[in-house]
Each structure stands twice: as structure tokens, then as C-alpha cells.
Amino acid sequence: MGTGRSAQILKKAVKLIPGGVNSPVRAFKAVGGGPLFISRAKGSKIYDVDGNEYIDYIGSWGPMILGHVHPKVSAAIKKAVDRGTSYGAPTELEVTLAEHTLKAFPSMDMVRFVSSGTEATMSALRLARAYTGRDGIIKFEGCYHGHSDSLLVKAGSGAATLGVPDSPGVVADLAKHTYNATYNDLASVRAIFEKKPKAIACVIVEGVPGNMGVVLPKEGFLKGLKALCKEFGALLIMDEVMSGFRLCYGGAQKIYKIDPDLTCLGKVIGGGLPVGGFGGKRKIMEQLAPSGPVYQAGTLSGNPLAMTAGIETLKLLQGKTVYEKLYKTTNSLVEGLEEIAKRRGVPVRTAVAGSMFTVFFSERPIASWKDARGADTAKFGKYFTRMLKAGIYLPPSQFEAVFVGLAHTGKDIAKTLEAADKAMKGL
Ligand code: KE4
């Protein structure tokens, strides 16, 4: 855990920045001890301010799928800097990234770029409410879609980790329009629709949830959501901020053959710089200002450096063997961890979605937040700490996804499994 210079910097940071961090899940609250302050990263490695090296399985919570400081991405950003960092005016770069995005997600006719996943989902909700003239939204307990008010109701990720799934400060008059269903339970969705048949603007769902840990959709669940939305005149929003480009080049909707009305993107699409995006059917998207009345804006939306990083990243992800390599590395790691847990007599349940996965310390299968929250978080905390001491940097929460990237080598996997074998001993 954060010792040496990390501990010193934390002491100063907590006086200046709430909790010493700019995003709660970074604070290591769920696993105890202080966070590592990072000084640099390269490939699959990350280095703390004391010079300790770790194999990085957070990858900035998803974006660093190519590994850190990919030469082509870095060179492109360096060149872009000399052309200016922000203009507040349209550039061809935005058109180029839009072309890549719409090619990857054929369900989308148009896209609007923003600077975070939160902005993407917040804006998509507003658009859905305007388009349908309805106020209600259905989300799923344990899913996280960023921290906009309507979505911070029984949220996952950091909110679940810190046990504040319903944040104070969210106005009750707004929260009452957010209905929480149970993931993988279509009956719970139908029940809300039948109670409020004309009130629901949209259902928003993570492509594959990664914010209660990775939880896979049951057969027919996503198609069932689409059918319910059609039956009750609501829009289906697929939040692919995490799953887009992580499951495959085209996200969960490609894998599960779903045609959502709107899709939200983030993380990988910015290649490590701040980019979010939301898009969908033309008749809906053209309601957005300035072509329509629904207002949405952003000073740094479509920022030229961020667009450059995103373009280079998506170009590299279109390489022929990219996803084959990602799946191979991910599966060899997960299979290794399962074998170790079995041999060490540690009950675990794993869920893999492309290049992201979770090892739940649980005897029961995990199909929803109710199951996930029953996992042994104390055991996870011990495992996490032992792995960190062995130079393996995992997400500091049972309710997060582990991210594998193209820079992870066979040597990294072997070292990780060796550490896991020791870490699981006596758990
Ligand atoms: P951002 O506003 O953090 O860019 O994106 C919000 C968001 C939206 N939708 C999904 C499915 C997401 O996973 C996220 C953000 N994910 C978390 C990790 N679980 C970001 C990490 C953090 O909060 O620091």
C-alpha cells in the first residue's frame, strides 16, 4: 500500500483535494491503506513515486487497451500539440473519429463527442426524455453510468465500493423518476413498465456490466430489454463506455446482436485522453442543438489532442490479430487463476467479457448486484494487498473489472499467476 513518498504526498493531498484523490475509487478505501501515487507508466507496467514497478491491470479503468505510451499514439499526440491544444471550433479530426466510431457501431447514424462517460450518459438521458416526452428512466441496481444525478441511484463502481449507491445531494424530486430493476431479471423490468406504462423514457444498461464486477447477461436478457422498450415505447440506451472496444471492436451490441436506440461511449475511444460520446438513430440525434431543441454543449468537446489519441487508438485496434491476442492473454490469466483457486481451496466465481474480467470471492453464481454484494470483500482485500506487495496492480475493489491489454506479455501472466498462487494460500 502507499508507503514512502506515496504516504507523504497523500498527507499533503488530503488537505487540498477531498480524500486526496480526484475520483473516489482511487483512494483504496475498500482495501485499506493509502493509494499509490503514480509517477509514470510504459507498456503493461506502472511505476509509483518510490520507483516500484507493477504490472498494471487497471489500465486507467479501461482506456489503456494498447498499453501505456504506445509509440504511435504518443507520437501522434506530440505532433498534435504543436498544432494547438484547443480551438473551441470544429476540426476534421472530429469527423475522422466520428467515421471510425460509426463504422464500429453500425447501430449509430450519428455521434456527439463529449469529455467523459458521465457527460455521454447524462446527455443521452436528456435526449431520450426530450424525444419521448417522458421523465422516467429504468436502470439496474449495481450498474454505474457516471455520476449525473438521475443515475446516482443504487449505482455500482465507486458508489457501491464506498457503500453510497444513493448519493446525498441528489434531489428527491429527480431521483423519484429513476426506477431500479434487477439485472438479468426481465420480469422486474416489465413490472416497472406495467406500473408506469406511459412514463418511461428509456432503459439504460451497461453493454456488459463491469461496475459490480463483470456480470454477464443471461441468454435473451438484452434482446428481452429491446422488446420491452419497443412494447412500451421507450428507448434502449446501451452504455458501452466500458464494454465498447473492450469486448470486441463494436462492443456488446455486436456480440449480442442488439440494435439500441442510443449508445454511450468513453474510455478506449479517447486512448487515454478525455473523450466520451453518445450516438444513435438519426431521427433522435437530430433533436440535439443546434439542429434541434435539446441543448448539450462542451468547451473541450472534440478536443484536437483527444481526437488524435482516439483516432490512433481505434486505427491500431483494427489490426487483424488484436482481439485474438487480447482474448488469448485474458483467458490464459483467468484459467490460471481458476486453477490456483481450486488447488488452494478458495471458492471463486469468474466472469470474462473479452479483455475484462472479475474473480469474485464467492461460492454462489453472480448474476446480479444482490449476488455480487454477497462476495467476500474482506477476502478480496487480503488478496488485493498480497498481490500489490508482489508487484501486481489490481483494481482496488471487488466491484470492478480487471483490464487486460495488448502490452501484457506471457511473462507478465506467469508472474501474475505466481503471485496469485502465494496470495490465495490460506485465504
Ligand atoms: P467517466 O465519467 O468516469 O468517464 O465515465 C462514467 C462511466 C459511465 N459508464 C460506465 C459503464 C462506466 O464504467 C463509467 C466509469 N467507470 C468507472 C470504473 N468503474 C470509472 C473509474 C472512476 O470512477 O474513477
Side-chain angles (χ1 to χ4, degrees):
M1 311 312 251
T3 53
R5 286 213 61 235
S6 280
Q8 273 169 9
I9 300 170
L10 181 64
K11 267 208 199 87
K12 199 163 116 190
V14 290
K15 293 196 196 89
L16 309 174
I17 302 167
V21 293
N22 285 303
S23 200
V25 75
R26 302 175 187 173
F28 277 29
K29 280 270 176 280
V31 291
L36 299 177
F37 279 72
I38 302 302
S39 69
R40 66 186 180 88
K42 176 89 177 112
S44 61
K45 307 297 182 298
I46 198 160
Y47 301 84
D48 69 15
V49 289
D50 289 299
N52 301 309
E53 177 187 282
Y54 303 86
I55 301 174
D56 179 18
Y57 287 105
I58 297 184
S60 177
W61 301 95
M64 307 321 294
I65 192 166
L66 298 176
H68 294 285
V69 196
H70 186 288
K72 287 199 174 142
V73 178
S74 300
I77 297 171
K78 284 175 189 159
K79 246 174 89 197
V81 165
D82 293 339
R83 293 198 294 274
T85 55
S86 180
Y87 316 122
T91 64
E92 191 175 11
L93 292 167
E94 293 150 85
V95 178
T96 306
L97 188 59
E99 284 170 331
H100 281 292
T101 305
L102 299 178
K103 206 159 140 252
F105 289 86
S107 71
M108 294 161 71
D109 300 323
M110 303 185 94
V111 63
R112 166 68 57 87
F113 293 119
V114 291
S115 300
S116 70
T118 292
E119 269 192 278
T121 55
M122 174 184 77
S123 309
L125 279 202
R126 183 178 314 135
L127 186 54
R129 284 170 157 157
Y131 184 75
T132 59
R134 299 174 176 183
D135 295 340
I137 64 157
I138 296 177
K139 66 176 284 292
F140 294 90
E141 260 193 312
C143 281
Y144 178 71
H145 305 284
H147 63 91
S148 66
D149 284 359
S150 285
L151 290 165
L152 261 193
V153 182
K154 293 198 171 66
S157 182
T161 302
L162 301 179
V164 285
D166 301 318
S167 169
V170 174
V171 172
D173 275 355
L174 183 62
K176 73 184 182 193
H177 296 292
T178 299
Y179 302 91
N180 269 282
T182 303
Y183 189 73
N184 272 325
D185 175 352
L186 286 171
S188 72
V189 183
R190 175 173 286 282
I192 298 168
F193 268 121
E194 285 178 350
K195 224 162 78 195
K196 305 269 176 185
K198 295 246 174 291
I200 307 295
C202 62
V203 173
I204 183 167
V205 66
E206 290 185 52
V208 166
N211 289 294
M212 34 183 153
V214 174
V215 176
L216 298 178
K218 280 184 181 156
E219 180 71 31
F221 176 65
L222 293 173
K223 285 223 181 306
L225 286 184
K226 173 77 186 170
L228 279 168
C229 287
K230 201 161 172 315
E231 184 182 340
F232 289 93
L235 301 184
L236 177 63
I237 302 178
M238 268 183 107
D239 175 354
E240 300 238 40
V241 166
M242 185 188 282
S243 54
F245 304 105
R246 273 276 159 195
L247 268 63
C248 71
Y249 197 78
Q253 56 193 267
K254 181 172 180 186
I255 304 258
Y256 296 99
K257 299 186 178 46
I258 305 292
D259 180 25
D261 299 290
L262 293 172
T263 295
C264 302
L265 297 169
K267 296 180 191 280
V268 167
I269 197 174
L273 294 194
V275 179
F278 63 105
K281 307 304 177 196
R282 186 175 299 281
K283 58 182 187 329
I284 305 172
M285 290 300 288
E286 284 190 332
Q287 295 303 309
L288 268 180
S291 42
V294 183
Y295 199 68
Q296 185 278 330
T299 302
L300 294 173
S301 298
N303 172 275
L305 299 193
M307 294 292 109
T308 300
I311 291 163
E312 289 312 310
T313 299
L314 296 198
K315 274 166 39 180
L316 288 160
L317 284 178
Q318 293 173 62
K320 277 204 183 50
T321 58
V322 161
Y323 282 91
E324 194 189 312
K325 181 166 185 290
L326 278 169
Y327 301 152
K328 192 159 166 281
T329 309
T330 307
N331 294 331
S332 68
L333 177 53
V334 175
E335 282 152 26
L337 291 169
E338 287 169 338
E339 188 279 324
I340 290 165
K342 193 154 178 267
R343 187 159 36 80
R344 290 289 187 195
V346 179
V348 297
R349 293 282 175 156
T350 57
V352 187
S355 60
M356 61 191 218
F357 72 91
T358 296
V359 174
F360 286 98
F361 288 89
S362 167
E363 310 202 8
R364 303 178 18 192
I366 310 277
S368 69
W369 170 237
K370 193 159 143 287
D371 302 330
R373 74 176 169 219
D376 187 331
T377 51
K379 205 176 265 191
F380 173 83
K382 273 202 207 103
Y383 171 71
F384 170 86
T385 305
R386 292 177 184 174
M387 291 294 269
L388 191 67
K389 286 205 174 91
I392 313 297
Y393 190 62
L394 296 172
S397 163
Q398 172 69 95
F399 309 123
E400 293 290 356
V402 177
F403 295 102
V404 176
L406 278 174
H408 285 111
T409 62
K411 214 163 131 247
D412 291 334
I413 302 306
K415 181 175 174 189
T416 307
L417 292 176
E418 196 188 326
D421 190 30
K422 295 191 184 88
M424 287 207 194
K425 197 163 167 236
L427 261 192

